Amino acid sequence: MTLHFKSILIFWGLLFCTIARAATITVYPNQTINAAVQQAKPGDVIRVMPGTYREKGIIINKPIILIGVDHPVLEGEHKYEILTIISNNVIVQGFTIQHSGYSSMDELAAIRLKNVSHVSIRNNHLLNNFFGIYCQHADSCVISGNQIESDGTSELESGNGIHGWKCDHLIIANNSITGHRDGIYFEFVTNTLIFHNNSFKNIRYGLHFMFSHSDTYVKNIFSNNGAGVAVMYSHKVIMHQNEFRENWGSSAYGLLMKEITDSHAEGNLFYRNTSAVYMEGSNRIHIIHNRFLHNGNAIKLQASCEDNIIEQNNFSGNSFDVSTNGSLVLNRFSKNYWDKYEGYDLNKNGIGDVPFRPLSIYTLIVERNATAMMLFRSPIVNLLERAEKILPGITPESLKDDEPLMKPLPL
Amino acid sequence: MIIATNVNKRFGKLQALDNVSLNCNKGQTIALIGPNGSGKTTFIKCLLGMVIPDSGFITVNNKNISHDWHYRKQIGYMPQMSRFPENMTIEQVIDMVKDIRSDANESMDEELPEAFGLKALYGKRMRTLSGGTRQKVSACLAFLFNPDILILDEPTAGLDPVSSEILKEKIISEKSKGKLTLITSHVLSDLDDLVTEVVYMQDGKLRFHSPLTKLQKETGEEKLNKVIARIMQNQ
Amino acid sequence: MKKIIKYILLDILRNKIIIAYTLLLMVISMSLFLLEDNASKAMLGLLNITIIIVPLVSIIFCTIYMYNASEFIELLIAQPIRRTKLLTGVYLGLVASLFIATLIGIGIPVFIYSPDTSGFTLLFTAIALSTVFASLALLSAVMTRDKAKGIGLALLLWFYFSFIYDGLVLMILFQFADYPMEKTMLALSMLNPIDLGRILLLLQLDISAMMGFTGALFRDFFGSSQGIIFAAGNIILWMILPALLAINKFKNKDL
């Protein structure tokens, strides 16, 4: 995969070499960009001067470079799709693109990439569009440094910030996305890198994956989204060093994994989410070196999950560390640090001598009757928990960490 | 000054006061006597508002005392069993009561502390004091504010003869100032020379109330205990 | 009345128990903050102190003090003071002493180690519960003439509010599991000052979990200013009502 990214870079290098010979066309506010595109030859640069352009849809059908000077405004007047790219090898940068049309039939976007490859969309401001950047059948494209904002209020009336459908080898980097339905939505998108984006306060998910295999997302921040991040029906997903923060709500998750297999979550931070990680029907996922801080529920592990390994994570300040819905446990917890651990370490090897059972009986009660949460931490509930810890009767015997760490890992 | 009319008080089955009516006036010194449990202390507590009568009413200076408290400015009270905050010193207790009754900042009557020699003991904590010394403190507090009415419940119990005499003289001198004094005591000999009137209570009822001179005439006895004994025999 | 408060306060401060209590709170809070590696775990320890130890000590201390102060009360009752003022003074003196003890014992460690909203909510809850249980102590002391009975009643009240009540609520909750119970639970929590304090603290310490489970209703209620005012008003009622009842009873009590 990295080889492929290198080839993309080489391509861009070559493209810039040809610019020297290309012509530059300058567009002023009393002119139209469409006319300039008509006039341009492949490889030309079109410079758009500051101003507002209302063009009822701009179509780019040849490999050109479209540069906005001081962020000229492309206005969609709440009616049109603003920029449609149907040619390979296009660069669009430095525009303010706003007010795309809204339609319940068509998924109108500020920028649409349609059956293209090697397109770069960078450093644009997208304001109050239905969809932000819509990629369909796009290959080897880069979307970077864009600020995508909307003020959507309901799931129906707003589209996704960056939408990918049947794409391959995308790079989505350094974007900031807020106020859309899903910050980033992928369906059938493969071999893609999502790096250093900030997706916050979106109505549904900060990031939403469906049937998207072998994708990597690194160092992103997902915060205050309606339902956090959902990764579904995918395999070989790599999630490294992301931050999942303050995703609150009755069905909000820091990271929801549904039918995910052979994936890897490492070095992530989960801070103050209602449920930090929710796993359902997910197998062979390695969860390592993550920090779970002050979440309502650190890990919700449904009984349909198996062969997952949860090791060397720090769990502190969570209301509940682990909860589950069945008695069968086919996953392994090992060498985690649990702040609720009360055991001892006589041989001083840093590993507690008695196992830790992270499942509290009260999670089971709350699972069955949510209102019981109101009695949480009442002395009578504490008594109940203590009794269960000494003599496990209801909680599954096998859900335990045999080698709990005495001190938190330096993560 | 004090008029009690048909005062009743019942503690469970016990009728502690049964239709007690009494009239006390200025300048009188009244001995309230009767056997144990005859209702003397209950009656006194009613006067002070510590026990609330079931029925009947009491007026002090023509004012009904129920749920009132101003009238207590005119009363100095020395209880049968003096109980004080144990952690406080004598001086602190006296200062506290002075402080709380602060509007009486006119002349304080500090004769008794002097006479009892209490000032030497001022730094002592109440819990270290003997019963007699506590009585002295109690007596001092009762006289401290120059009240018009003095209510003394067993004032001489626990006092040594010398202190007892001092207290008696104090009572006589107060009487000469025209004050009303109510005393209960078992030691009737202590009450000779003091009392002008005798009130006798039994089983919560007021048996009789008459001037001592009249009783002495009727019985032909001089000493109070003889007078009372004669009356009891006659009944 | 100010003078009575002053003398009660002086008397309580002279008696070593309140100082021992202050030190105990201080030692526990300090050691929780120093021994636990994260402040939130220490806060959970303090939550347990606040909802178990603070009410227990408050109600027992105040009940015993009321009996021990009977001499003081007897001495002053014959003085020209209104009875209601006397008992109100005693109550406020007790509250003031507990206030000082809590402010020092819990307040100082909180100021040093966790001077944030949750810390101050904890301090506020501890002070409020001290006051509420002083109020209940006043009632149990006025209602019973016998010291042993009074202390027994006080213990029973404490046990009821900290254990039995929640057990009953849990039972009700499961009996009526098929019905929407959020509003009922909200109402039930108002009937127990300890629950009210605990929920206020939960909203600070376990906000993430609270948001998930009882969601909207709770956030709407305790998140809105009306909700906070209502809860605060409720806890103030808990501080005042038992004391008022006690004072009213004391007005007609024979001594």
Side-chain angles (χ1 to χ4, degrees):
Chain A
M1 196 173 63
T2 47
L3 198 70
H4 195 94
F5 287 135
K6 262 181 204 162
S7 76
I8 295 177
L9 291 178
I10 290 166
F11 162 77
W12 289 116
L14 290 174
L15 187 73
F16 280 106
C17 291
T18 61
I19 288 172
R21 282 187 279 125
T24 301
I25 299 165
T26 307
V27 180
Y28 294 94
N30 53 356
Q31 299 167 315
T32 68
I33 298 167
N34 265 325
V37 174
Q38 291 295 318
Q39 197 189 320
K41 295 185 186 65
D44 280 357
V45 177
I46 297 175
R47 286 167 57 85
V48 180
M49 301 313 279
T52 302
Y53 297 83
R54 295 187 173 80
E55 303 203 18
K56 303 183 168 59
I58 299 165
I59 293 170
I60 298 175
N61 52 8
K62 54 187 77 161
I64 51 169
I65 299 171
L66 192 63
I67 296 174
V69 178
D70 287 341
H71 290 278
V73 178
L74 307 187
E75 172 67 47
E77 300 171 73
H78 299 289
K79 283 184 192 147
Y80 311 103
E81 180 154 287
I82 300 164
L83 199 57
T84 311
I85 298 166
I86 53 172
S87 162
N88 297 342
N89 307 332
V90 171
I91 297 174
V92 175
Q93 73 173 52
F95 287 94
T96 297
I97 305 176
Q98 61 189 27
H99 305 141
S100 79
Y102 161 78
S103 156
S104 50
M105 303 290 286
D106 302 312
E107 298 185 320
L108 298 177
I111 303 174
R112 177 183 297 269
L113 277 56
K114 208 166 170 181
N115 304 322
V116 294
S117 71
H118 301 90
V119 168
S120 173
I121 309 291
R122 57 199 191 200
N123 303 338
N124 299 292
H125 296 163
L126 277 65
L127 300 174
N128 296 322
N129 299 291
F130 182 37
F131 278 75
I133 300 171
Y134 195 113
C135 310
Q136 64 188 84
H137 295 287
D139 170 33
S140 307
C141 294
V142 177
I143 295 169
S144 69
N146 300 292
Q147 286 177 29
I148 305 175
E149 284 171 40
S150 181
D151 50 9
T153 46
S154 75
E155 281 190 22
L156 276 177
E157 283 168 27
S158 59
N160 303 319
I162 296 174
H163 184 101
W165 193 69
K166 293 205 172 163
C167 298
D168 189 42
H169 286 103
L170 301 181
I171 296 176
I172 315 269
N174 301 320
N175 300 291
S176 135
I177 308 152
T178 182
H180 278 275
R181 180 169 60 196
D182 289 343
I184 301 172
Y185 175 88
F186 279 4
E187 201 168 341
F188 307 109
V189 174
T190 49
N191 302 314
T192 285
L193 174 67
I194 302 171
F195 174 75
H196 215 290
N197 298 289
N198 188 0
S199 178
F200 59 100
K201 292 186 179 158
N202 292 294
I203 298 159
R204 197 168 63 181
Y205 296 113
L207 170 71
H208 192 180
F209 259 59
M210 304 271 254
F211 313 105
S212 295
H213 309 306
S214 307
D215 291 332
T216 302
Y217 56 101
V218 179
K219 289 193 175 170
N220 300 289
I221 300 174
F222 303 103
S223 58
N224 294 301
N225 293 299
V229 167
V231 191
M232 302 180 178
Y233 314 107
S234 306
H235 49 254
K236 292 188 181 141
V237 181
I238 293 169
M239 302 162 258
H240 282 184
Q241 293 168 289
N242 300 289
E243 292 182 16
F244 301 84
R245 291 170 172 274
E246 304 195 13
N247 296 294
W248 280 352
S250 55
S251 54
Y253 307 95
L255 173 59
L256 177 145
M257 292 194 263
K258 188 170 182 177
E259 315 258 331
I260 298 295
T261 54
D262 301 298
S263 294
H264 199 264
E266 182 173 342
N268 299 293
L269 168 68
F270 297 91
Y271 178 73
R272 281 167 61 105
N273 301 287
T274 296
S275 291
V277 171
Y278 176 91
M279 295 166 79
E280 188 182 314
S282 297
N283 306 325
R284 297 182 299 283
I285 296 174
H286 196 188
I287 297 177
I288 181 170
H289 292 160
N290 298 290
R291 284 171 294 162
F292 294 89
L293 305 178
H294 303 282
N295 299 290
N297 232 312
I299 296 188
K300 269 192 152 178
L301 191 62
Q302 301 303 83
S304 52
C305 300
E306 61 178 286
D307 295 331
N308 297 293
I309 298 170
I310 294 145
E311 62 179 354
Q312 297 182 44
N313 301 289
N314 284 342
F315 291 87
S316 25
N318 303 302
S319 298
F320 301 112
D321 285 329
V322 174
S323 68
T324 184
N325 61 348
S327 53
L328 189 65
V329 181
L330 302 166
N331 305 288
R332 192 158 69 84
F333 288 87
S334 132
K335 291 193 178 153
N336 296 291
Y337 168 74
W338 312 89
D339 69 338
K340 293 184 185 58
Y341 183 57
E342 286 173 343
Y344 45 84
D345 179 21
L346 291 182
N347 54 4
K348 301 278 174 209
N349 61 352
I351 293 171
D353 298 345
V354 286
F356 176 68
R357 299 178 192 285
L359 186 62
S360 109
I361 185 177
Y362 209 61
T363 55
L364 298 179
I365 292 175
V366 169
E367 201 80 18
R368 247 190 288 168
N369 193 334
T371 321
M373 191 62 207
M374 277 202 47
L375 289 170
F376 188 47
R377 299 201 193 286
S378 154
I380 194 122
V381 169
N382 289 352
L383 281 181
L384 209 69
E385 292 226 21
R386 229 153 245 284
E388 178 69 18
K389 281 259 183 316
I390 296 165
L391 282 171
I394 303 166
T395 52
E397 225 289 313
S398 54
L399 206 165
K400 61 184 176 183
D401 187 337
D402 282 317
E403 300 169 293
L405 300 181
M406 297 304 291
K407 288 214 169 91
L409 290 153
L411 296 175
Chain B
M1 282 181 105
I2 298 176
I3 302 165
T5 316
N6 300 331
V7 174
N8 282 292
K9 181 70 194 179
R10 175 179 276 281
F11 292 121
K13 278 180 193 158
L14 177 76
Q15 187 76 37
L17 293 178
D18 190 355
N19 244 355
V20 175
S21 300
L22 183 65
N23 209 333
C24 315
N25 292 314
K26 238 178 145 173
Q28 291 178 332
T29 302
I30 300 168
L32 193 55
I33 51 184
N36 294 335
S38 58
K40 304 184 297 278
T41 299
T42 305
F43 182 68
I44 283 175
K45 284 187 168 181
C46 281
L47 289 183
L48 287 159
M50 294 168 77
V51 168
I52 289 141
D54 297 333
S55 64
F57 58 90
I58 300 171
T59 61
V60 172
N61 282 339
N62 300 321
K63 271 192 197 146
N64 194 330
I65 62 163
S66 87
H67 295 296
D68 189 22
W69 53 277
H70 295 280
Y71 77 95
R72 286 202 285 268
K73 280 182 194 163
Q74 298 150 24
I75 296 180
Y77 171 55
M78 181 177 169
Q80 191 172 18
M81 296 267 291
S82 317
R83 305 215 296 156
F84 294 102
E86 300 285 298
N87 279 327
M88 297 175 89
T89 62
I90 297 177
E91 190 172 20
Q92 281 166 338
V93 168
I94 290 176
D95 285 348
M96 177 176 77
V97 177
K98 275 186 194 169
D99 186 20
I100 284 171
R101 269 177 99 147
S102 64
D103 54 328
N105 54 3
E106 66 273 13
S107 64
M108 297 278 182
D109 182 352
E110 308 251 10
E111 253 177 53
L112 269 183
E114 294 284 352
F116 284 140
L118 264 188
K119 295 226 157 138
L121 303 172
Y122 261 15
K124 288 212 167 189
R125 294 208 183 275
M126 296 310 298
R127 81 173 98 82
T128 62
L129 300 184
S130 69
T133 317
R134 281 159 183 263
Q135 285 295 86
K136 288 180 193 168
V137 175
S138 194
C140 293
L141 287 175
F143 286 94
L144 192 59
F145 301 94
N146 257 323
D148 295 338
I149 301 166
L150 285 161
I151 296 174
L152 311 174
D153 199 353
E154 300 282 352
T156 53
L159 288 185
D160 57 76
V162 179
S163 310
S164 195
E165 278 311 309
I166 294 172
L167 184 59
K168 272 202 281 194
E169 268 163 35
K170 181 71 185 162
I171 295 168
I172 291 168
S173 84
E174 291 299 305
K175 181 172 74 176
S176 64
K177 290 179 197 162
K179 294 186 177 178
L180 168 62
T181 312
L182 261 157
I183 307 176
T184 73
S185 183
H186 285 102
V187 192
L188 297 179
S189 58
D190 279 347
L191 300 176
D192 285 325
D193 332 324
L194 283 181
V195 300
T196 57
E197 312 252 324
V198 175
V199 172
Y200 188 81
M201 289 184 75
Q202 197 172 13
D203 300 328
K205 290 190 182 69
L206 194 142
R207 293 288 171 183
F208 62 84
H209 173 201
S210 53
L212 181 63
T213 45
K214 188 180 159 214
L215 289 175
Q216 282 168 334
K217 241 179 239 164
E218 278 171 14
T219 55
E221 294 286 347
E222 194 57 30
K223 295 280 180 195
L224 183 60
N225 50 355
K226 293 256 171 79
V227 172
I228 299 299
R230 185 58 61 87
I231 292 168
M232 306 286 280
Q233 281 163 12
N234 292 350
Q235 272 179 343
Chain C
M1 196 158 68
K2 261 186 238 151
K3 284 172 189 162
I4 294 167
I5 298 174
K6 184 180 90 188
Y7 285 107
I8 289 283
L9 201 56
L10 282 177
D11 186 43
I12 293 174
L13 294 182
R14 210 174 292 135
N15 131 7
K16 312 273 182 309
I17 290 173
I18 199 79
I19 294 164
Y21 173 56
T22 311
L23 286 178
L24 176 84
L25 284 180
M26 186 90 142
V27 166
I28 293 176
S29 324
M30 281 294 197
S31 55
L32 276 172
F33 276 118
L34 290 175
L35 295 180
E36 296 295 353
D37 21 67
N38 57 42
S40 70
K41 222 182 145 187
M43 290 294 285
L44 285 182
L46 276 180
L47 177 137
N48 283 328
I49 301 297
T50 304
I51 63 177
I52 301 178
I53 305 289
V54 166
L56 176 65
V57 173
S58 299
I59 198 167
I60 295 296
F61 172 75
C62 292
T63 312
I64 293 177
Y65 186 81
M66 281 292 292
Y67 286 105
N68 289 350
S70 61
E71 296 125 3
F72 178 85
I73 292 171
E74 273 173 37
L75 177 67
L76 292 188
I77 205 90
Q79 306 296 334
I81 301 168
R82 204 190 296 266
R83 269 194 184 199
T84 48
K85 266 196 179 174
L86 178 57
L87 200 70
T88 313
V90 172
Y91 170 59
L92 292 180
L94 281 168
V95 168
S97 68
L98 288 171
F99 178 83
I100 294 170
T102 322
L103 202 64
I104 295 174
I106 293 181
I108 288 180
V110 161
F111 270 107
I112 296 173
Y113 294 102
S114 178
D116 50 14
T117 336
S118 50
F120 294 130
T121 311
L122 185 101
L123 184 60
F124 165 78
T125 309
I127 289 170
L129 286 182
S130 304
T131 314
V132 169
F133 279 83
S135 174
L136 288 170
L138 203 68
L139 186 60
S140 67
V142 169
M143 269 171 59
T144 50
R145 197 167 273 277
D146 182 37
K147 188 170 176 176
K149 256 190 209 162
I151 293 171
L153 182 64
L155 267 177
L156 201 70
L157 280 172
W158 168 78
F159 193 69
Y160 171 75
F161 283 121
S162 41
F163 290 92
I164 298 174
Y165 187 86
D166 285 359
L168 288 175
V169 169
L170 199 62
M171 233 166 67
I172 290 171
L173 206 58
F174 275 85
Q175 285 298 312
F176 297 96
D178 301 332
Y179 300 89
M181 290 293 285
E182 269 104 352
K183 284 206 175 120
T184 320
M185 286 295 285
L186 206 58
L188 285 176
S189 73
M190 295 288 165
L191 297 177
N192 182 347
I194 293 186
D195 273 2
L196 205 58
R198 185 172 51 76
I199 290 167
L200 279 180
L201 281 172
L202 278 187
L203 284 170
Q204 292 297 326
L205 301 176
D206 293 282
I207 182 70
S208 318
M210 291 299 280
M211 281 304 154
F213 293 105
T214 35
L217 183 78
F218 260 78
R219 189 174 28 193
D220 290 355
F221 185 75
F222 286 103
S224 70
S225 52
Q226 288 119 306
I228 292 291
I229 290 168
F230 193 75
N234 195 290
I235 218 151
I236 289 170
L237 274 188
W238 272 107
M239 294 174 189
I240 293 173
L241 274 187
L244 271 184
L245 219 67
I247 290 165
N248 198 39
K249 234 180 143 49
F250 182 74
K251 217 156 63 178
N252 298 311
K253 191 179 173 180
D254 297 326
L255 289 162

